[in-house]
Amino acid sequence: MGKKTMLNLGFAVPGIFWATLLISGRFYPGYSSVRDRVSELGALDAPTRWIFNPGMLLCALLSLVFVYGLVRVCKQVELSTIPAWLLLVHGVSLAGAAIFPLPLPMHGQAGMLAMLLPLSPLLALMLWQRAGNGRLKLTALTSLVLMGLGFSVLFPDFLPELAGLKQRIAHLGWTVWFAGLGAIAGKT
């Protein structure tokens, strides 16, 4: 697979993720994207687990390919590969959520890996300074803000009726980061 194709997965992975959420949510009676968490779509008793879990596994696998393409670009332009490698936690987290659906105890543990994801844009800001790309900085900062806001889901007493929305804001954060990296790295 060519480098350009691998980097285009920075757009495809979020697209598949959001499409999976929209389709699954549509076929889950009573599900609310504002109130209910994403993982409920793939729970053992969810009517949409047969859509949601394969969709998350596909996102996880394609994320691995995207990371590989991004690492190749980093090496080519002599930038640290650490921010790219940190994106692996996202793929592993998605795979873990699909392989260990709610209410299995491993589901939460797999999801905790996603807490490391903000390190990727944060370290990119520090380690990729010589790249001097204003779009990269804006993308990293936007992503960090969205992920930070989305992590308010960790405080269940804070706006509990908006748990699904809070989680989706965090997902929007990684979406911005993946797509931004795909676009920026694709121009090298």
Side-chain angles (χ1 to χ4, degrees):
M1 184 180 295
K3 178 180 73 170
K4 184 84 169 158
T5 303
M6 286 188 269
L7 295 174
N8 282 336
L9 293 175
F11 299 101
V13 170
I16 293 167
F17 176 85
W18 291 103
T20 300
L21 263 60
L22 289 171
I23 293 166
S24 297
R26 181 85 173 119
F27 291 104
Y28 193 129
Y31 182 84
S32 166
S33 295
V34 172
R35 179 191 65 237
D36 300 321
R37 293 182 187 216
V38 169
S39 292
E40 293 175 42
L41 294 167
L44 288 175
D45 62 346
T48 54
R49 67 187 177 279
W50 304 110
I51 300 167
F52 181 82
N53 292 332
M56 293 305 102
L57 286 173
L58 179 59
C59 287
L61 290 172
L62 294 177
S63 290
L64 296 176
V65 178
F66 173 63
V67 169
Y68 178 69
L70 196 55
V71 166
R72 283 179 50 189
V73 168
C74 289
K75 288 180 179 180
Q76 175 188 337
V77 297
E78 298 179 349
L79 290 175
S80 172
T81 59
I82 295 170
W85 284 118
L86 276 166
L87 295 176
L88 287 176
V89 300
H90 183 260
V92 172
S93 179
L94 289 176
I99 294 168
F100 305 106
L102 285 173
L104 299 176
M106 286 294 293
H107 179 82
Q109 293 168 350
M112 291 304 287
L113 285 172
M115 301 315 235
L116 298 173
L117 189 56
L119 291 175
S120 176
L122 182 64
L123 287 175
L125 286 170
M126 293 187 283
L127 299 173
W128 293 349
Q129 286 183 10
R130 69 178 181 85
N133 188 321
R135 274 185 49 206
L136 177 68
K137 291 175 186 171
L138 179 62
T139 301
L141 289 171
T142 302
S143 175
L144 281 168
V145 167
L146 290 168
M147 283 190 250
L149 289 171
F151 284 163
S152 66
V153 77
L154 298 172
F155 303 98
D157 293 334
F158 175 69
L159 300 172
E161 67 281 1
L162 300 178
L165 180 61
K166 293 188 296 185
Q167 191 181 40
R168 280 164 179 78
I169 292 170
H171 287 297
L172 184 58
W174 73 258
T175 296
V176 166
W177 188 231
F178 267 57
L181 285 175
I184 294 164
K187 294 186 186 237
T188 57

